[in-house]
Amino acid sequence: MQPALRTKSKINWRLHGFAYALLMPSLLFLGVFTFYPILKSIYWSFYSSEFTDKTFVGFDQYAHVFQDDIFLKVLKNNVLLAIGTVPVSILLAMYAAIWVNNKLRGTGLLRALFFYPTVIPMIAIANIWLFIYTPSYGLLDKFLGVFSIPAPHWLGDPHWVLFSMMLMVIWKEAGFFMIFYLAGLQNLPKEVYEAAAMEGASPLQTFRRITFPLLMPTTLFVMIIATTNSFKLVDHLYVMTKGGPNNASNLLLYHIYETAFSFWDMGKASVLTVVLLVILLSISIFNYAFLDKRIHY
Protein backbone atom coordinates (compact mmCIF):
# COMPACT_ATOMS: atom_id res chain seq x y z
CA MET A 1 0.00 0.00 0.00
CA GLN A 2 1.33 3.41 -0.90
CA PRO A 3 2.11 5.77 2.00
CA ALA A 4 -0.55 8.30 0.93
CA LEU A 5 -3.30 5.64 0.83
CA ARG A 6 -2.15 4.21 4.14
CA THR A 7 -2.28 7.65 5.75
CA LYS A 8 -5.74 8.36 4.29
CA SER A 9 -7.05 5.00 5.52
CA LYS A 10 -5.64 5.66 8.97
CA ILE A 11 -7.24 9.12 9.08
CA ASN A 12 -10.64 7.68 8.00
CA TRP A 13 -10.45 4.97 10.65
CA ARG A 14 -9.72 7.56 13.32
CA LEU A 15 -12.51 9.82 12.06
CA HIS A 16 -15.08 7.02 11.94
CA GLY A 17 -13.93 5.62 15.25
CA PHE A 18 -14.36 9.02 16.89
CA ALA A 19 -17.82 9.41 15.34
CA TYR A 20 -18.93 5.98 16.61
CA ALA A 21 -17.51 6.80 20.04
CA LEU A 22 -19.71 9.90 20.14
CA LEU A 23 -22.73 7.84 19.04
CA MET A 24 -22.06 5.02 21.50
CA PRO A 25 -24.07 6.45 24.46
CA SER A 26 -27.12 6.94 22.22
CA LEU A 27 -26.69 3.52 20.60
CA LEU A 28 -26.36 1.92 24.02
CA PHE A 29 -29.47 3.71 25.23
CA LEU A 30 -31.44 2.61 22.15
CA GLY A 31 -30.23 -0.94 22.49
CA VAL A 32 -31.15 -1.29 26.16
CA PHE A 33 -34.42 0.64 26.21
CA THR A 34 -35.74 0.20 22.65
CA PHE A 35 -34.36 -2.74 20.65
CA TYR A 36 -34.03 -5.20 23.52
CA PRO A 37 -37.63 -4.63 24.78
CA ILE A 38 -38.92 -4.99 21.21
CA LEU A 39 -37.13 -8.31 20.72
CA LYS A 40 -38.20 -9.48 24.17
CA SER A 41 -41.84 -8.59 23.42
CA ILE A 42 -41.70 -10.54 20.15
CA TYR A 43 -40.23 -13.52 22.02
CA TRP A 44 -42.87 -13.40 24.78
CA SER A 45 -45.69 -13.07 22.22
CA PHE A 46 -45.25 -16.73 21.27
CA TYR A 47 -45.82 -17.87 24.86
CA SER A 48 -48.96 -18.07 26.92
CA SER A 49 -47.46 -17.05 30.19
CA GLU A 50 -47.46 -15.46 33.53
CA PHE A 51 -44.12 -14.74 35.13
CA THR A 52 -43.86 -18.14 36.79
CA ASP A 53 -45.37 -20.39 34.10
CA LYS A 54 -44.43 -20.15 30.42
CA THR A 55 -45.90 -22.34 27.67
CA PHE A 56 -45.02 -22.09 23.99
CA VAL A 57 -48.18 -21.63 21.89
CA GLY A 58 -46.81 -20.18 18.65
CA PHE A 59 -49.29 -18.07 16.73
CA ASP A 60 -52.28 -19.30 18.77
CA GLN A 61 -51.84 -16.28 21.02
CA TYR A 62 -52.18 -13.96 18.01
CA ALA A 63 -55.30 -15.80 16.82
CA HIS A 64 -56.83 -15.49 20.29
CA VAL A 65 -56.12 -11.74 20.45
CA PHE A 66 -57.64 -11.02 17.03
CA GLN A 67 -60.78 -12.91 18.05
CA ASP A 68 -61.09 -10.95 21.28
CA ASP A 69 -64.07 -8.55 21.22
CA ILE A 70 -62.41 -6.20 23.71
CA PHE A 71 -59.28 -5.89 21.57
CA LEU A 72 -61.36 -5.19 18.46
CA LYS A 73 -63.32 -2.53 20.33
CA VAL A 74 -60.14 -0.95 21.68
CA LEU A 75 -58.58 -0.94 18.21
CA LYS A 76 -61.72 0.66 16.77
CA ASN A 77 -61.63 3.34 19.50
CA ASN A 78 -58.01 4.12 18.68
CA VAL A 79 -58.69 4.40 14.94
CA LEU A 80 -61.67 6.68 15.60
CA LEU A 81 -59.56 8.81 17.93
CA ALA A 82 -56.86 9.17 15.27
CA ILE A 83 -59.41 10.05 12.57
CA GLY A 84 -61.12 12.57 14.84
CA THR A 85 -58.04 14.30 16.24
CA VAL A 86 -55.26 14.25 13.63
CA PRO A 87 -56.94 16.27 10.81
CA VAL A 88 -58.54 18.76 13.21
CA SER A 89 -55.31 19.29 15.16
CA ILE A 90 -53.34 19.84 11.96
CA LEU A 91 -55.85 22.32 10.52
CA LEU A 92 -56.07 24.27 13.79
CA ALA A 93 -52.29 24.29 14.12
CA MET A 94 -51.88 25.57 10.56
CA TYR A 95 -54.52 28.28 11.05
CA ALA A 96 -53.01 29.38 14.38
CA ALA A 97 -49.50 29.48 12.87
CA ILE A 98 -50.66 31.66 9.96
CA TRP A 99 -52.47 33.93 12.39
CA VAL A 100 -49.56 34.45 14.81
CA ASN A 101 -47.04 34.68 11.97
CA ASN A 102 -48.45 38.09 11.04
CA LYS A 103 -46.77 41.09 12.59
CA LEU A 104 -49.61 42.14 14.88
CA ARG A 105 -49.72 43.59 18.37
CA GLY A 106 -49.68 40.87 21.02
CA THR A 107 -48.42 38.14 18.68
CA GLY A 108 -45.87 36.93 21.23
CA LEU A 109 -48.58 36.53 23.87
CA LEU A 110 -50.78 34.61 21.44
CA ARG A 111 -47.93 32.23 20.58
CA ALA A 112 -47.34 31.58 24.27
CA LEU A 113 -51.05 30.96 24.90
CA PHE A 114 -51.35 28.50 22.02
CA PHE A 115 -48.18 26.66 23.04
CA TYR A 116 -48.90 26.66 26.79
CA PRO A 117 -50.96 23.40 26.87
CA THR A 118 -47.95 21.57 25.45
CA VAL A 119 -45.74 22.26 28.47
CA ILE A 120 -48.35 21.08 30.99
CA PRO A 121 -47.89 17.42 32.04
CA MET A 122 -50.59 15.09 30.75
CA ILE A 123 -51.61 14.13 34.29
CA ALA A 124 -52.26 17.79 35.12
CA ILE A 125 -54.21 18.25 31.88
CA ALA A 126 -56.31 15.20 32.69
CA ASN A 127 -57.20 16.64 36.09
CA ILE A 128 -58.09 20.01 34.54
CA TRP A 129 -60.41 18.40 32.00
CA LEU A 130 -61.80 16.07 34.66
CA PHE A 131 -63.03 19.21 36.43
CA ILE A 132 -64.34 20.66 33.16
CA TYR A 133 -66.35 17.48 32.46
CA THR A 134 -67.64 16.98 36.02
CA PRO A 135 -71.46 16.70 35.99
CA SER A 136 -73.56 19.50 37.47
CA TYR A 137 -70.78 21.82 38.67
CA GLY A 138 -68.14 21.36 35.94
CA LEU A 139 -67.22 24.34 33.77
CA LEU A 140 -68.77 22.84 30.64
CA ASP A 141 -72.06 22.01 32.36
CA LYS A 142 -72.18 25.47 33.90
CA PHE A 143 -71.61 27.07 30.49
CA LEU A 144 -74.34 25.01 28.84
CA GLY A 145 -76.65 25.76 31.76
CA VAL A 146 -76.51 29.46 30.92
CA PHE A 147 -78.29 28.61 27.64
CA SER A 148 -80.57 26.02 29.32
CA ILE A 149 -78.94 23.21 27.30
CA PRO A 150 -79.03 19.82 29.06
CA ALA A 151 -75.54 18.37 29.35
CA PRO A 152 -74.80 14.66 28.97
CA HIS A 153 -72.59 12.74 31.36
CA TRP A 154 -69.43 13.48 29.37
CA LEU A 155 -67.25 10.74 30.86
CA GLY A 156 -69.98 8.35 31.97
CA ASP A 157 -71.95 8.04 28.73
CA PRO A 158 -70.47 5.54 26.23
CA HIS A 159 -71.73 7.70 23.35
CA TRP A 160 -69.91 10.84 24.56
CA VAL A 161 -66.77 9.70 26.36
CA LEU A 162 -64.60 9.16 23.28
CA PHE A 163 -65.69 12.51 21.83
CA SER A 164 -64.76 14.15 25.15
CA MET A 165 -61.31 12.57 24.96
CA MET A 166 -60.90 13.89 21.41
CA LEU A 167 -61.56 17.48 22.50
CA MET A 168 -58.89 17.26 25.17
CA VAL A 169 -56.32 15.73 22.79
CA ILE A 170 -56.98 18.40 20.13
CA TRP A 171 -56.61 21.16 22.72
CA LYS A 172 -53.22 19.80 23.79
CA GLU A 173 -51.78 18.81 20.41
CA ALA A 174 -52.74 21.80 18.23
CA GLY A 175 -50.41 24.22 20.04
CA PHE A 176 -47.49 21.80 19.76
CA PHE A 177 -47.96 21.35 16.02
CA MET A 178 -48.36 25.10 15.59
CA ILE A 179 -44.66 25.55 16.44
CA PHE A 180 -43.62 23.37 13.49
CA TYR A 181 -45.89 25.25 11.10
CA LEU A 182 -44.67 28.58 12.43
CA ALA A 183 -41.08 27.53 11.76
CA GLY A 184 -42.08 26.38 8.28
CA LEU A 185 -43.86 29.66 7.50
CA GLN A 186 -40.88 31.74 8.55
CA ASN A 187 -38.66 29.82 6.11
CA LEU A 188 -40.90 30.37 3.08
CA PRO A 189 -39.52 32.74 0.40
CA LYS A 190 -40.96 36.24 0.71
CA GLU A 191 -40.50 36.91 -3.01
CA VAL A 192 -43.29 34.48 -3.89
CA TYR A 193 -45.78 36.33 -1.71
CA GLU A 194 -44.70 39.68 -3.09
CA ALA A 195 -45.28 38.38 -6.62
CA ALA A 196 -48.70 37.02 -5.64
CA ALA A 197 -49.66 40.38 -4.12
CA MET A 198 -48.59 42.20 -7.31
CA GLU A 199 -50.79 39.81 -9.34
CA GLY A 200 -53.76 40.65 -7.11
CA ALA A 201 -54.13 37.18 -5.55
CA SER A 202 -56.65 36.97 -2.70
CA PRO A 203 -55.61 35.59 0.71
CA LEU A 204 -57.49 32.34 -0.02
CA GLN A 205 -55.78 31.94 -3.42
CA THR A 206 -52.41 32.66 -1.82
CA PHE A 207 -53.01 29.98 0.77
CA ARG A 208 -54.23 27.38 -1.74
CA ARG A 209 -51.60 27.99 -4.40
CA ILE A 210 -48.54 28.98 -2.35
CA THR A 211 -48.69 28.48 1.41
CA PHE A 212 -50.33 25.06 1.59
CA PRO A 213 -48.18 23.38 -1.11
CA LEU A 214 -44.97 24.81 0.34
CA LEU A 215 -45.95 23.59 3.81
CA MET A 216 -46.53 20.00 2.67
CA PRO A 217 -43.15 18.73 3.99
CA THR A 218 -44.04 20.17 7.39
CA THR A 219 -47.52 18.68 7.12
CA LEU A 220 -46.09 15.23 6.43
CA PHE A 221 -43.82 15.47 9.46
CA VAL A 222 -46.64 16.73 11.68
CA MET A 223 -49.02 14.05 10.37
CA ILE A 224 -46.59 11.27 11.32
CA ILE A 225 -46.14 12.68 14.83
CA ALA A 226 -49.88 13.28 15.31
CA THR A 227 -50.87 9.81 14.10
CA THR A 228 -48.29 7.98 16.19
CA ASN A 229 -49.17 10.10 19.24
CA SER A 230 -52.83 9.14 18.89
CA PHE A 231 -51.82 5.49 19.41
CA LYS A 232 -49.62 6.25 22.43
CA LEU A 233 -52.10 7.93 24.77
CA VAL A 234 -52.39 6.39 28.22
CA ASP A 235 -51.92 8.94 31.03
CA HIS A 236 -55.27 10.71 30.72
CA LEU A 237 -57.19 7.42 30.60
CA TYR A 238 -55.67 6.30 33.88
CA VAL A 239 -56.79 9.52 35.57
CA MET A 240 -60.14 10.16 33.90
CA THR A 241 -61.94 6.99 32.83
CA LYS A 242 -59.81 3.85 33.34
CA GLY A 243 -60.96 2.94 29.82
CA GLY A 244 -64.65 2.96 30.75
CA PRO A 245 -67.53 2.93 30.66
CA ASN A 246 -67.59 -0.60 29.21
CA ASN A 247 -64.28 0.02 27.34
CA ALA A 248 -65.88 2.89 25.40
CA SER A 249 -62.79 5.06 25.92
CA ASN A 250 -60.18 2.32 26.18
CA LEU A 251 -57.19 2.69 23.85
CA LEU A 252 -54.53 0.26 22.74
CA LEU A 253 -51.64 1.38 24.94
CA TYR A 254 -53.81 1.48 28.07
CA HIS A 255 -55.18 -1.95 27.15
CA ILE A 256 -51.59 -3.22 26.99
CA TYR A 257 -50.83 -1.71 30.39
CA GLU A 258 -53.98 -3.19 31.89
CA THR A 259 -53.34 -6.63 30.41
CA ALA A 260 -49.74 -6.72 31.60
CA PHE A 261 -49.95 -5.15 35.06
CA SER A 262 -53.55 -5.71 36.13
CA PHE A 263 -54.18 -9.19 34.74
CA TRP A 264 -50.49 -10.21 34.58
CA ASP A 265 -50.95 -11.85 31.19
CA MET A 266 -47.54 -11.09 29.74
CA GLY A 267 -48.03 -13.25 26.66
CA LYS A 268 -51.16 -11.45 25.54
CA ALA A 269 -49.66 -8.07 26.45
CA SER A 270 -46.64 -8.89 24.28
CA VAL A 271 -48.90 -9.73 21.35
CA LEU A 272 -50.71 -6.42 21.80
CA THR A 273 -47.33 -4.65 21.93
CA VAL A 274 -46.25 -6.28 18.67
CA VAL A 275 -49.55 -5.22 17.07
CA LEU A 276 -48.98 -1.64 18.23
CA LEU A 277 -45.43 -1.65 16.86
CA VAL A 278 -46.63 -2.97 13.50
CA ILE A 279 -49.30 -0.25 13.34
CA LEU A 280 -46.82 2.54 14.12
CA LEU A 281 -44.24 1.13 11.71
CA SER A 282 -46.86 0.80 8.96
CA ILE A 283 -47.95 4.41 9.45
CA SER A 284 -44.38 5.67 9.15
CA ILE A 285 -43.60 3.50 6.11
CA PHE A 286 -46.78 4.57 4.33
CA ASN A 287 -46.12 8.25 4.97
CA TYR A 288 -42.48 8.19 3.92
CA ALA A 289 -42.73 5.64 1.08
CA PHE A 290 -46.01 6.80 -0.44
CA LEU A 291 -46.80 10.39 0.55
CA ASP A 292 -43.22 11.62 0.64
CA LYS A 293 -42.80 10.89 -3.08
CA ARG A 294 -45.73 13.19 -3.88
CA ILE A 295 -44.34 16.16 -2.00
CA HIS A 296 -42.08 18.75 -3.61
CA TYR A 297 -39.34 20.05 -1.32
Side-chain angles (χ1 to χ4, degrees):
M1 181 182 292
Q2 297 179 1
L5 293 177
R6 190 182 301 112
T7 304
K8 184 178 180 180
S9 176
K10 189 175 181 180
I11 293 174
N12 288 338
W13 183 87
R14 289 181 178 178
L15 182 63
H16 295 162
F18 181 68
Y20 281 114
L22 292 175
L23 289 172
M24 189 56 65
S26 298
L27 293 174
L28 183 63
F29 185 86
L30 284 173
V32 173
F33 295 103
T34 301
F35 299 128
Y36 174 74
I38 289 174
L39 295 175
K40 193 70 173 179
S41 296
I42 295 173
Y43 170 78
W44 275 89
S45 69
F46 294 106
Y47 288 85
S48 177
S49 62
E50 298 178 359
F51 276 114
T52 56
D53 184 22
K54 189 168 62 172
T55 305
F56 181 80
V57 294
F59 287 98
D60 291 345
Q61 189 86 271
Y62 286 85
H64 174 71
V65 166
F66 281 98
Q67 293 172 359
D68 184 11
D69 293 336
I70 295 177
F71 166 74
L72 296 176
K73 187 173 185 178
V74 167
L75 187 60
K76 177 184 175 183
N77 290 342
N78 229 142
V79 172
L80 290 176
L81 184 84
I83 293 173
T85 58
V86 172
V88 178
S89 299
I90 290 175
L91 290 175
L92 287 176
M94 189 181 299
Y95 176 78
I98 293 173
W99 185 19
V100 300
N101 190 48
N102 296 324
K103 298 184 181 301
L104 302 174
R105 186 183 298 272
T107 299
L109 178 61
L110 285 175
R111 293 178 183 178
L113 290 176
F114 284 134
F115 186 71
Y116 183 70
T118 304
V119 301
I120 306 177
M122 197 63 187
I123 297 297
I125 288 177
N127 282 285
I128 292 171
W129 281 85
L130 189 63
F131 172 68
I132 293 174
Y133 287 139
T134 301
S136 301
Y137 64 86
L139 291 180
L140 189 55
D141 280 24
K142 289 292 185 182
F143 175 76
L144 294 177
V146 174
F147 303 97
S148 300
I149 300 175
H153 195 328
W154 300 103
L155 301 180
D157 189 336
H159 298 96
W160 284 96
V161 63
L162 192 61
F163 174 76
S164 303
M165 296 292 103
M166 290 179 185
L167 289 180
M168 182 189 66
V169 172
I170 291 170
W171 177 78
K172 179 173 175 59
E173 297 281 273
F176 177 61
F177 301 146
M178 180 205 70
I179 298 300
F180 296 105
Y181 278 114
L182 187 60
L185 286 170
Q186 292 178 351
N187 287 322
L188 297 184
K190 301 292 190 266
E191 298 81 5
V192 179
Y193 289 95
E194 293 173 358
M198 293 177 61
E199 293 292 334
S202 65
L204 182 59
Q205 290 175 327
T206 302
F207 174 78
R208 288 180 57 194
R209 303 294 183 181
I210 300 176
T211 305
F212 186 73
L214 291 178
L215 284 177
M216 283 306 296
T218 305
T219 301
L220 175 63
F221 175 74
V222 170
M223 186 184 302
I224 294 172
I225 294 178
T227 308
T228 54
N229 283 351
S230 66
F231 282 89
K232 297 190 296 183
L233 296 171
V234 65
D235 307 29
H236 68 291
L237 288 180
Y238 186 83
V239 174
M240 299 177 72
T241 66
K242 297 291 193 297
N246 194 25
N247 290 302
S249 65
N250 204 353
L251 301 177
L252 190 53
L253 190 57
Y254 184 78
H255 186 46
I256 294 172
Y257 163 79
E258 199 173 38
T259 302
F261 300 109
S262 294
F263 307 127
W264 296 103
D265 190 345
M266 302 305 297
K268 183 178 179 181
S270 298
V271 173
L272 295 172
T273 302
V274 172
V275 171
L276 178 60
L277 291 173
V278 170
I279 290 173
L280 297 179
L281 185 62
S282 301
I283 291 170
S284 299
I285 291 175
F286 172 78
N287 285 325
Y288 279 118
F290 180 76
L291 296 181
D292 190 53
K293 295 179 180 179
R294 288 158 176 77
I295 293 176
H296 298 284
Y297 289 87

